[in-house]
Amino acid sequence: MEKVKLLGTWPNPFVQRVVWALKLKGIEYEIIYEDRANKSELLKYNPIYKNAPVLVHNDIPICDSLVILEYIDETWKDASPLLPQDPLLKANERFWAKYGDEQVLSAVYGYYRKQGKDQEEARETTLAHLKCVEQLLNENNFMSGERVGFLDLAFGWLADYSRPLEMVGGVKLLDEDSFPKLCAWRDNFLKIPSINGSWPDQENLIARFQKSKQSLFG
Ligand SMILES: N[C@@H](CCC(=O)N[C@@H](CS)C(=O)NCC(=O)O)C(=O)O
């Protein structure tokens, strides 16, 4: 009997992508949300980074969300493959997912956190990155191709965080005129039942953003 446990915090875009992968694959799991100020299992199972997510499969921890997505895909091969078999296509998805986390996400974070001239610079950087991401869509409905896959889950935060970021931080990311393909992608992504059914509650997300914005800017 498989025992699958996901250790998370909320809100957390890295945890959310793992939730979506588990749902897409139809894997039964238990999720435990830890308080950021009072972690216990996360310290035990991820002593190096002490962050979330951690997937605990039959008592063995796997850390880092993109690593976890690959692990899930290779362990539960039959249902809804996330990554292509072709090594080149696979390498391409890994490259862009890493770019999303290392470049795009941190640029958006800077745009959200900074003020004045610094914010304007961060905005320019963010929009330049989003132009690259827009090009990933080509003529496809999803970043991974015609079916939702690894890259869509990796960029899922862009879909579910865009409204809270705009409402709380005035950070407009997915505007129809500048990023028509990304806007269509967000709608397609949200139409998938497993994604939609575990979409983070937007009102709660907005409330959490408001709370953290107050602690950032008073
Ligand atoms: N590269 C990691 C990043 C994970 C990460 O940064 N997690 C943050 C979420 S915002 C976390 O759990 N932080 C806990 C804390 O701040 O105490 C992944 O993809 O899993």
Side-chain angles (χ1 to χ4, degrees):
M1 171 75 178
E2 302 274 0
K3 229 176 99 201
V4 181
K5 191 160 79 172
L6 176 60
L7 306 178
T9 52
W10 201 93
N12 183 331
F14 306 102
V15 172
Q16 190 58 45
R17 57 174 64 142
V18 177
V19 168
W20 284 326
L22 292 166
K23 296 275 184 195
L24 278 170
K25 296 257 182 193
I27 301 162
E28 283 199 31
Y29 68 99
E30 173 194 9
I31 185 157
I32 295 168
Y33 289 107
E34 292 217 320
D35 177 359
R36 283 197 165 89
N38 192 19
K39 296 175 195 159
S40 64
E41 300 256 291
L42 282 172
L43 302 183
K44 172 177 162 199
Y45 285 113
N46 189 359
I48 305 292
Y49 291 109
K50 306 177 179 63
N51 63 16
V54 176
L55 187 80
V56 188
H57 184 200
N58 297 331
D59 235 23
I60 311 287
I62 303 103
C63 302
D64 194 282
S65 60
L66 294 178
V67 174
I68 296 171
L69 292 189
E70 293 212 31
Y71 176 82
I72 290 174
D73 203 30
E74 285 175 13
T75 306
W76 290 273
K77 280 192 176 56
D78 295 339
S80 307
L82 299 178
L83 273 161
Q85 289 299 309
D86 180 87
L88 259 182
L89 295 176
K90 200 184 281 194
N92 189 53
E93 292 209 23
R94 286 182 176 134
F95 172 85
W96 287 109
K98 196 161 178 263
Y99 167 78
D101 280 8
E102 291 177 1
Q103 304 293 327
V104 192
L105 192 51
S106 57
V108 169
Y109 192 54
Y111 180 11
Y112 176 70
R113 284 182 68 114
K114 289 176 182 164
Q115 289 184 309
K117 194 168 166 292
D118 290 345
Q119 190 186 40
E120 191 43 42
E121 274 171 23
R123 178 176 172 276
E124 294 295 321
T125 309
T126 301
L127 297 184
H129 284 312
L130 289 180
K131 283 210 163 65
C132 296
V133 182
E134 169 94 353
Q135 281 162 20
L136 286 178
L137 284 153
N138 295 318
E139 298 311 314
N140 293 322
N141 281 340
F142 296 104
M143 294 181 187
S144 294
E146 267 319 296
R147 286 162 44 115
V148 71
F150 179 77
L151 209 45
D152 301 284
L153 301 186
F155 275 100
W157 59 269
L158 200 51
D160 63 345
Y161 276 41
S162 59
R163 188 165 153 252
L165 283 167
E166 183 176 350
M167 291 193 62
V168 180
V171 162
K172 185 145 179 73
L173 297 178
L174 300 190
D175 133 63
E176 290 275 352
D177 293 332
S178 315
F179 302 111
K181 289 181 184 175
L182 274 173
C183 290
W185 164 78
R186 180 183 48 194
D187 296 344
N188 292 329
F189 190 58
L190 186 51
K191 273 186 210 140
I192 296 169
S194 324
I195 305 282
N196 191 307
S198 47
W199 200 246
D201 180 278
Q202 294 283 298
E203 299 317 313
N204 265 342
L205 212 47
I206 289 166
R208 290 299 283 267
F209 271 58
Q210 273 159 343
K211 209 168 146 203
S212 74
K213 182 100 183 170
Q214 270 163 16
S215 64
L216 279 177
F217 304 119

